[in-house]
Amino acid sequence: MKTILSLLFALWATVLQAQPAYDMSRIQTERLSRGLVCVRQADSVIISWRLLSSDSPSTSFNIYADGRLLNRTPITSTTFYKVKASGNKPVSYRIATVDEGKESGRQDATYNLPSAVTPQPYLTIPLRTPSAGTTPEGRSYGYIANDASVGDIDGDGDYEIIIKWEPTNAHDNSHDGYTGNVLLDCYKIPGIGTPSTTGSAFQWRIDLGPNIRAGAHYTQFLVYDFDGDGCAEIICKTADGTRDGLGTVIGDSAADYRTNEVIKNRIDGKRAGRQRRIVGRILSGPEYLTVFSGKTGQALSTVDYQPPRGNVGDWGDTYGNRCDRFLACVAYLDGVHPSAVMCRGYYTKTYLAAYDFDGKALKLRWLFDSEKIDKERRAANRKSLPYSGQGNHNLRVGDVDGDGCDEITYGSMAVDNDGTGLYTTGMGHGDAIHLMPFYPDSTQLQVWDVHENKRDGSDFRDARTGRIIFQIPSTMDVGRGMAADIDPRYPGVEMWSASQRGYYDTTGNFHPTNFWVPQNSAVWWDGDPLREMLDHNEISKFNWKSEKMDLLQRFDGCQFNNGSKSNPCLAADILGDWREEVIVRNRENTELRIYTTTLPTSYRFPCWMHDIIYRLSVATENVGYNQPREAGIYFGAETVKKFW
């Protein structure tokens, strides 16, 4: 077993030093705890904890329940343990690290399991549900616990949850109508690393105010430790009337820029000369970018948002659809420190603005302007492909060229770490995109991208150069696409989309199925390195033997978010072993449930949050149309064949 574990850690270290080529001795990362978590079953308790990237192959563990040792010998082969238990009394569990045969006290952790009437495979966080509101037109609305992110706000090594409250009258950019205010709440996870589960999990609330419209494309919020002090901050777009976690208002508290007027000559890129009443849109007034303290929600620094909307019609329409398409991400642009990259536009012109935060002020690092680049390229070469109009409803981040710094894959084009264009395919807009190593022995990253232009369909390409490996053209709007290793019979990651029943392997061969494989998200859940599907309130596994989807977990009493995109609030490896947790709201919006797998695994692997590309994809999971987390190393069926 020691030899196998040595091989696993060698795999981890080797791939991190290849492309992507992050210098792990310099790059700023989170200091995480063991993330110990326990859940009750009918006659047992499931105990799970993190293996850290700083652990040695010989690191083992002891488990205590109210001070009593549970295991006869130190646990070496897994970070998952099932112990028989009866009754429902509260129990304090402790994980002790064993180094060279002795308990070292290094990264020990405690979880306090409360009493429970009914065993359940999830942790519960009571929510402070916002009060209902009324629009200026007299229409009432409520609130939904929508997208979430995680960050360690107080430096104790445990994650807190930042949840976006979306009003029930939220709108897509293409729709008119007033919306309620967007709110951001912070909650602690009860029982994690604390001696007591009493007290409120709620920490603070930020109210973005009436001048930030609600909808999937407006508020992209980033949660990360940007200044390196060990505590996470929150960065998002703000406006006059935003109220921070201490109650302090940004800008003019009385300002209200919501419109209720008629545009006589509407222009939307296809139709012109039509009249349109625009209601509730925000087409004037100042726009800001603010960094908030994760500890208190206090506004720490506010600057003007770059770029400003300027003339609304310059973005391709006159009613605020294209000018208010926002994206955001975290990226290590210098290979050491995380930067916040705020993005505007993708149907026509596109801007990316990179900011650094030093603990006191936000400072602009660079501004990418697609129009400027396209103009320069056209002057040099009339046949050059455009950078404008290439963005998706999401984006991906990772070191694609092996320089140790992050690039941003922005739909059909990529931006280098210095803010210059890296490549463009010219294939235009899409709804889903995936970036990871697709080949078992690859040290390179590839991209699977789908398109809505009823022409280009889907493409599989080299993430460094944009070179097309293979393409599946389509005359339909390919709105959804997924990539994951779901079938061990074919090497590498499988790819599929809404244009066909079945999936492609990395050689471009198509394997038909008699059903649609779920296309929204994925999760590591059942204990093997193959990935499961996370979609429409359930987790299912592709069964290549029976040619069907096997149900593994249904989230009864809960509701996924964002309509047909059907995603949980968040899914990520935030607790326990290397499998992922799923955070969902109950239907009443009175609680969050953190589901953690109770299925056994014989594999142990370092927590995914120490993989840079995976961690960055968690930070951008809430952006636009949510995409699953994906790692910077290949992890699939071949990993088992080689190392277990």
Side-chain angles (χ1 to χ4, degrees), residues 96-163:
T97 305
V98 179
D99 290 319
E100 298 181 355
K102 296 182 180 180
E103 291 188 9
S104 63
R106 180 177 64 88
Q107 293 286 342
D108 289 1
T110 301
Y111 183 85
N112 297 283
L113 187 66
S115 59
V117 176
T118 304
Q120 54 196 27
Y122 57 83
L123 314 182
T124 301
I125 302 179
L127 292 174
R128 187 172 293 188
T129 309
S131 301
T134 305
T135 69
E137 293 181 317
R139 297 178 180 178
S140 61
Y141 60 87
Y143 276 94
I144 292 171
N146 192 251
D147 292 331
S149 192
V150 292
D152 179 6
I153 67 168
D154 49 19
D156 63 357
D158 298 313
Y159 286 123
E160 282 74 38
I161 298 172
I162 314 299
I163 187 83

Side-chain angles (χ1 to χ4, degrees), residues 8 15 26 33 47 101-102 129 141-142 159 223 268 305 378 386 421 428 449 484 494 508 516 518 533 553 574 599 617:
L8 284 173
V15 177
R26 299 176 64 235
S33 73
I47 305 168
K102 296 182 180 180
T129 309
Y141 60 87
Y159 286 123
V223 182
D268 66 3
Y305 192 91
R378 283 194 300 270
D449 194 9
E494 286 73 48
W516 296 98
M533 297 297 98
Q553 177 73 55
I574 65 170
L599 300 175
S617 66

Side-chain angles (χ1 to χ4, degrees), residues 390-433:
Q390 304 304 308
N392 278 24
H393 289 306
N394 30 57
L395 71 178
R396 291 290 187 180
V397 181
D399 174 20
V400 304
D401 57 8
D403 63 358
C405 304
D406 282 323
E407 286 73 44
I408 300 158
T409 302
Y410 201 85
S412 293
M413 60 95 161
V415 177
D416 211 344
N417 64 287
D418 61 359
T420 60
L422 185 66
Y423 73 80
T424 175
T425 69
M427 291 186 185
H429 169 71
D431 274 12
I433 189 168

Side-chain angles (χ1 to χ4, degrees), residues 34-301:
R34 288 286 170 206
L36 180 65
V37 63
C38 309
V39 294
R40 295 182 186 274
Q41 293 190 300
D43 58 355
S44 62
V45 172
I46 300 299
I47 305 168
S48 181
W49 63 97
R50 289 189 186 109
L51 186 68
L52 303 172
S53 58
S54 58
D55 289 331
S56 73
S58 62
T59 297
S60 55
F61 303 95
N62 286 330
I63 301 175
Y64 294 86
D66 289 336
R68 178 174 59 89
L69 181 65
L70 299 180
N71 50 294
R72 293 183 178 180
T73 59
I75 302 167
T76 60
S77 61
T78 184
T79 50
F80 178 95
Y81 195 79
K82 183 176 181 179
V83 59
K84 290 184 178 181
S86 59
N88 63 354
K89 66 177 183 179
V91 182
S92 179
Y93 289 94
R94 181 171 68 90
I95 188 81
T97 305
V98 179
D99 290 319
E100 298 181 355
K102 296 182 180 180
E103 291 188 9
S104 63
R106 180 177 64 88
Q107 293 286 342
D108 289 1
T110 301
Y111 183 85
N112 297 283
L113 187 66
S115 59
V117 176
T118 304
Q120 54 196 27
Y122 57 83
L123 314 182
T124 301
I125 302 179
L127 292 174
R128 187 172 293 188
T129 309
S131 301
T134 305
T135 69
E137 293 181 317
R139 297 178 180 178
S140 61
Y141 60 87
Y143 276 94
I144 292 171
N146 192 251
D147 292 331
S149 192
V150 292
D152 179 6
I153 67 168
D154 49 19
D156 63 357
D158 298 313
Y159 286 123
E160 282 74 38
I161 298 172
I162 314 299
I163 187 83
K164 178 179 76 171
W165 286 103
E166 187 168 80
T168 53
N169 59 358
H171 284 291
D172 184 86
N173 294 50
S174 60
H175 301 156
D176 295 315
Y178 288 104
T179 74
N181 294 8
V182 177
L183 312 174
L184 297 175
D185 280 6
C186 178
Y187 293 88
K188 281 189 169 292
I189 303 174
I192 302 296
T194 57
S196 173
T197 57
T198 60
S200 174
F202 174 80
Q203 300 299 296
W204 47 254
R205 172 168 292 168
I206 295 168
D207 185 340
L208 294 181
N211 296 308
I212 294 292
R213 201 164 185 248
H217 306 295
Y218 292 102
T219 296
Q220 319 301 347
F221 64 101
L222 301 175
V223 182
Y224 216 80
D225 178 12
F226 288 99
D227 60 0
D229 66 351
C231 302
E233 292 81 35
I234 297 89
I235 295 179
C236 68
K237 186 172 182 285
T238 57
D240 284 345
T242 294
R243 190 178 299 272
D244 74 7
L246 300 182
T248 303
V249 175
I250 295 172
D252 182 357
S253 62
D256 188 342
Y257 301 106
R258 292 173 293 183
T259 62
N260 185 5
E261 59 187 54
V262 173
I263 295 179
K264 293 184 178 180
N265 294 308
R266 171 195 173 194
I267 301 172
D268 66 3
K270 295 181 180 179
R271 296 179 295 273
R274 297 173 58 189
Q275 290 191 357
R276 177 175 182 145
R277 178 172 175 251
I278 54 172
V279 177
R281 294 183 180 275
I282 299 149
L283 305 180
S284 62
E287 301 173 285
Y288 309 126
L289 182 68
T290 300
V291 54
F292 298 91
S293 164
K295 293 180 181 178
T296 64
Q298 178 185 10
L300 301 177
S301 176

Side-chain angles (χ1 to χ4, degrees), residues 561-584:
N561 289 321
N562 301 321
S564 64
K565 307 307 176 287
S566 190
N567 59 271
C569 300
L570 185 78
D573 179 17
I574 65 170
L575 295 169
D577 65 22
W578 56 273
R579 273 90 58 84
E580 297 171 292
E581 281 65 48
V582 180
I583 304 176
V584 227

Side-chain angles (χ1 to χ4, degrees), residues 173 176 218 257 259 261 263 265-269 276 278 281-285 287 307-326 344-345 347-349 351 371:
N173 294 50
D176 295 315
Y218 292 102
Y257 301 106
T259 62
E261 59 187 54
I263 295 179
N265 294 308
R266 171 195 173 194
I267 301 172
D268 66 3
R276 177 175 182 145
I278 54 172
R281 294 183 180 275
I282 299 149
L283 305 180
S284 62
E287 301 173 285
R309 69 173 70 85
N311 182 358
V312 172
D314 290 344
W315 296 86
D317 62 60
T318 54
Y319 63 101
N321 179 7
R322 288 167 173 79
C323 76
D324 279 354
R325 298 284 179 162
F326 299 101
R344 186 173 209 153
Y347 288 128
T348 54
K349 62 182 180 179
Y351 288 82
E371 280 192 318

